[in-house]
Amino acid sequence: MTGYTMLRNGGVGNGGQPWVLRWSSRIRLTWLSFTLFIILVFFPLIAHYYLTTIDDADDAGKRIFGPRTGNELCEVKHVQDLCRIRESVSEELLQLEAKRQELNSEIAKLNLKIEACKKSIENAKQDLLQLKNVISQTEHSYKELMAQNQPKLSLPIRLLPDKDEANLPLPKSNRNCRLHNCFDYSRCPLTSGFPVYVYNSDQYPFGSSLDPLIKQAFEATVRTNVYVTENANIACVYIILVGEMQEPIMPKPTELEQQLHSLPYWRTDGHNHLIINLSRKSETQNFIYNISTGRAMIAQSTFYDVQYRPGFDMVVSPLVHAMSEPNFLEIPPQVPVKRKYLFSFQGEKIESLRSSLQEVRSFEEEIEGNAPADYDDRIITTLKAVQDSKLDFVLVEFTCKNQPKASLPTEWALCGERDDRLELLKLSTFALIITPGDTHLLISSGCTMRLFEALEVGAIPVILGEQVQLPYHDVIRWNEAALIIPKPRITEVHFLLRSISDNDLLTMRRQGRFLWETYFSTSDNVFSTVLAIIRTRIQIPAAPIREETAVEIPHRSGKAAGTDPNMADNGDLDLGPVETEPPYASPKYLRNFTLTAMDIYRNWNSAPGPFHLFPHTPFDPVLPSEAKFLGSGTGFRPIGGGAGGSGKEFQAALGGNVPREQFTVVMLTYEREEVLMNSLERLNGLPYLNKVVVVWNSPKLPSEDLLWPDIGVPIMVVRTEKNSLNNRFLPWDEIETEAILSIDDDAHLRHDEIMFGFRVWREARDRIVGFPGRYHAWDIPHQSWLYNSNYSCELSMVLTGAAFFHKYYAYLYSYVMPQAIRDMVDEYINCEDIAMNFLVSHITRKPPIKVTSRWTFRCPGCPQALSHDDSHFHERHKCINFFVKVYGYMPLLYTQFRVDSVLFKTRLPHDKTKCFKFI
């Protein structure tokens, strides 16, 4: 630039050559222009080319001005990683594409299979519809065939009183009356239900003379009896209460006779009438002796042989507890077996006492037969000799310290007050009852009162005089609860009483306690027994027992039940088919008419349960004594053999003599919705399940938005009147099976365990069959019973929180078991399972059956139950001791027996294990 400036100014440069300078300047300008043109045109093109082929370098300050090949670019470490990633992604994309093509081909194949299955389903539906039509036609044809081969029967014509012309055969005398000639069977058809009409005594003059307590108790009993009807036109039997009369205002015999004959339905001779003369005192007089009662039956506590008509009249027990229930806490226990006195007797015979009956007896009647006191002197002498010998403690007194009670001639009058006599009997192993010396006097109020008091406190009656007619003697086996000894054997009485073993003594005492509770203790029992005797004599079945009506709580269902892995883990065991047909109810045996007469005698004399007093259950008793009546229409069906045999067939079918049977789950719950839902879901797929009855024990209803699981069988949610653990054992009408599985809402049982328990119960239907075992123990320091849940080699109870039992026991628990026990359960909100074990052991005299080795059944993670409370065990101790007082003895029995499968822990070939497991 300096030279160029000098040329323009005309100066001379170095060397003196100005034209050279000018030429070189021009060349430089041309080269500079050309260079700028190349830079401005080609350099952007080259930069654009390389920028499109390579990435920028990591170094921000680095510039690439020359072209490089692809291999050279990949030599950079970061770029090499990127290249590998690109190649891997490319390979994965290729693999996914291949898989997509494979899935598309499989989907196409499955679509073809679905279409084929749809066609198969349609064909199967058509085949099923055809089969249903064939079955329906076959059933219709079967019914037509049965109708053709069965005779057409019609019910007997019901005769109304205003059209009653029965034309009964006339007996030679009213004292010769029997059912065949003094009872009109046409008024009592087998299907009539045995309606009974009871006259209102207040509407007749003699009603004002009745004892107020007896009349009040009788009216209260009549109002609650199932057989009593207010429609006299359809009645089978008419009942009138005429005693006990109050002596100051007692009507004359002729007046009472006229009043009886004027009853609106007496119909000239009083047939189908029952005159009841109840006695509350030992001195009740036999004023009916002098009254013409026609063809009416008589029920009272005093009878002469010329008055009593066997099979027609009946001897009834005295009504001591007229308006009060017996206090079980005051009744002495049945153990120890032997008491202070071997036997005792207190009484005084007043020969000079003359009753109104004796005054009207003729002289011929007085001298006929044996003398009034044939053996009394010998009896007195013998008993005094036994007392003086002091071989045993005995107490006999033949003279009352105070004024004796009034009595009939030749009858031993009672001494002292009732409480004093009971205190003596509580100390006596046996109670002597000396029948009247007059052999024509079959029974008296004094004798029945002595019998009542002896049975009440557990003193075994020893009756001297075989001619006596004890209450309800034609239907009760008195030799199982009392000793009836002829008076001539008085010298052998002491030897006989000492020779009886303790076991026999306890059995007789227990049977006597049963008879007293069932037939003597209350006005309800006395009246029910009288009606049951008449109904049994004319062979009319008992009415069906009342069932608890289940008030269903509406609930929404449809939630798909999940599968609990613990429930589904049954190994390779085939539990049996899940019922796909509608629930199958157990057959209801409504007491076959042809078997009533033969079956009732056995029931009357069985200590386990008072079957005759109460309407019969749809599922008849299942006691061991009924085994001889198999196939006779009872509910007892023992299991053994039958369809199936061994191996796979046995698992696929329930087997036994009743191969088709289901059970009902009864689940008690209280405001634990989540726990309840989980328990219900665990029942999904359980074989032979008929129904689930959820007893909702809370006054608060379930949540409206609660969705109940769909487990394949109906779920009935029952609302209760109050929160009571006794609701667990109510005989709900929704329970249609004999087998009940009582289970807590937090119980955790596998399906194979439940099925095994059901199979065991089918072979021991009269027992409680369950899982957790408990036992009772005697606390020596405190002299009381204890409840124990520790692991032990024996047990006496099975908790009903997971146990099978027969529905028949639900009726007994709710309607027959003493109310005091149910009140105790409500008071403590505890012990209902102990009460059920007491009841079943008392009835069967057998312990429960435990299955499997499980000792607890609570589900993990569930909220704590009431059993975790500290007071739980203390309350159960109290319950056991209270129940023992009510029953009078400890009915629970120990057992070391546990049921497992036949081949439990048996080594078998691998191919045989599946066939024989849990057989």
Side-chain angles (χ1 to χ4, degrees), residues 96-164:
L96 291 176
E97 179 64 20
K99 289 182 179 180
R100 187 182 68 83
Q101 294 178 359
E102 293 178 1
L103 291 176
N104 287 336
S105 61
E106 291 180 1
I107 291 174
K109 294 178 181 178
L110 291 176
N111 288 332
L112 295 177
K113 291 183 179 180
I114 290 173
E115 295 297 329
C117 290
K118 288 182 178 180
K119 294 180 180 179
S120 300
I121 291 174
E122 293 297 331
N123 296 333
K125 288 182 178 179
Q126 294 179 1
D127 295 340
L128 180 61
L129 182 60
Q130 293 178 359
L131 289 175
K132 288 182 177 180
N133 294 333
V134 172
I135 292 174
S136 177
Q137 294 176 0
T138 305
E139 291 179 349
H140 182 71
S141 301
Y142 175 76
K143 292 180 180 179
E144 290 182 349
L145 182 62
M146 294 296 295
Q148 294 176 0
N149 295 332
Q150 289 181 349
K152 295 183 179 180
L153 301 177
S154 60
L155 297 177
I157 300 176
R158 301 301 303 273
L159 301 177
L160 300 178
D162 56 345
K163 301 179 181 179
D164 192 355

Side-chain angles (χ1 to χ4, degrees), residues 364-379:
E364 291 79 10
E365 290 177 331
E366 289 183 345
I367 65 174
E368 183 181 6
N370 297 327
D374 274 349
Y375 295 99
D376 288 358
D377 294 340
R378 185 184 303 177
I379 291 174

Side-chain angles (χ1 to χ4, degrees), residues 543-563:
I545 197 170
R546 176 177 62 91
E547 291 190 306
E548 292 294 326
T549 302
V551 180
E552 184 178 7
I553 299 177
H555 59 281
R556 293 188 305 154
S557 60
K559 175 184 176 183
T563 302

Side-chain angles (χ1 to χ4, degrees), residues 270-287:
H271 64 271
N272 288 44
H273 275 64
L274 173 65
I275 301 174
I276 298 181
N277 179 22
L278 297 176
S279 60
R280 194 168 62 91
K281 305 174 184 178
S282 62
E283 59 269 22
T284 301
Q285 300 299 310
N286 184 11
F287 60 88

Side-chain angles (χ1 to χ4, degrees), residues 358-605:
Q358 187 71 8
E359 292 176 354
V360 299
R361 294 183 67 189
S362 64
F363 176 76
E364 291 79 10
E365 290 177 331
E366 289 183 345
I367 65 174
E368 183 181 6
N370 297 327
D374 274 349
Y375 295 99
D376 288 358
D377 294 340
R378 185 184 303 177
I379 291 174
I380 295 174
T381 303
T382 303
L383 295 181
K384 284 185 176 180
V386 174
Q387 185 178 21
D388 295 339
S389 66
K390 298 182 180 181
L391 295 175
D392 291 291
F393 284 104
V394 299
L395 191 150
V396 291
E397 295 178 354
F398 301 103
T399 303
C400 296
K401 298 178 181 179
N402 299 321
Q403 182 67 25
K405 304 294 182 181
S407 62
L408 295 175
T410 74
E411 181 187 14
W412 288 90
L414 293 172
C415 296
E417 299 299 328
R418 166 177 159 82
D419 293 340
D420 297 333
R421 297 194 300 269
L422 292 180
E423 290 301 323
L424 176 59
L425 292 174
K426 291 178 181 179
L427 301 175
S428 305
T429 306
F430 296 94
L432 295 184
I433 301 176
I434 305 176
T435 59
D438 186 359
T439 56
H440 296 293
L441 184 56
L442 301 180
I443 190 65
S444 65
S445 298
C447 288
T448 57
M449 185 64 67
R450 290 181 182 272
L451 179 65
F452 180 95
E453 293 176 353
L455 296 177
E456 181 178 5
V457 297
I460 300 175
V462 179
I463 302 170
L464 298 178
E466 78 282 2
Q467 81 284 356
V468 67
Q469 300 291 338
L470 297 179
Y472 323 124
H473 63 90
D474 52 347
V475 290
I476 293 180
R477 295 177 183 173
W478 278 106
N479 59 348
E480 296 180 356
L483 295 174
I484 303 176
I485 303 174
K487 287 184 177 181
R489 294 191 179 275
I490 183 60
T491 57
E492 302 173 321
V493 168
H494 185 212
F495 168 79
L496 176 62
L497 299 185
R498 294 191 64 181
S499 64
I500 301 177
S501 64
D502 290 353
N503 289 336
D504 292 339
L505 288 176
L506 183 59
T507 301
M508 297 181 69
R509 183 173 294 165
R510 186 185 303 119
Q511 179 70 3
R513 174 70 176 272
F514 163 76
L515 296 178
W516 179 79
E517 290 183 357
T518 307
Y519 311 120
F520 291 73
S521 58
T522 64
S523 58
D524 287 340
N525 290 346
V526 173
F527 185 67
S528 298
T529 303
V530 170
L531 294 185
I533 289 177
I534 300 176
R535 179 180 53 77
T536 305
R537 287 175 176 176
I538 62 178
Q539 301 180 354
I540 294 182
I545 197 170
R546 176 177 62 91
E547 291 190 306
E548 292 294 326
T549 302
V551 180
E552 184 178 7
I553 299 177
H555 59 281
R556 293 188 305 154
S557 60
K559 175 184 176 183
T563 302
D564 191 334
N566 294 326
M567 298 297 101
D569 185 14
N570 296 312
D572 56 357
L573 173 63
D574 185 2
L575 296 180
V578 178
E579 299 293 341
T580 57
E581 60 181 358
Y584 174 74
S586 298
K588 294 184 178 181
Y589 291 83
L590 300 180
R591 190 60 65 79
N592 192 326
F593 295 122
T594 60
L595 300 172
T596 301
M598 63 178 293
D599 186 58
I600 198 68
Y601 185 75
R602 170 176 49 86
N603 289 343
W604 276 75
N605 295 280

Side-chain angles (χ1 to χ4, degrees), residues 117 173 269 481 633 863:
C117 290
S173 171
D269 58 2

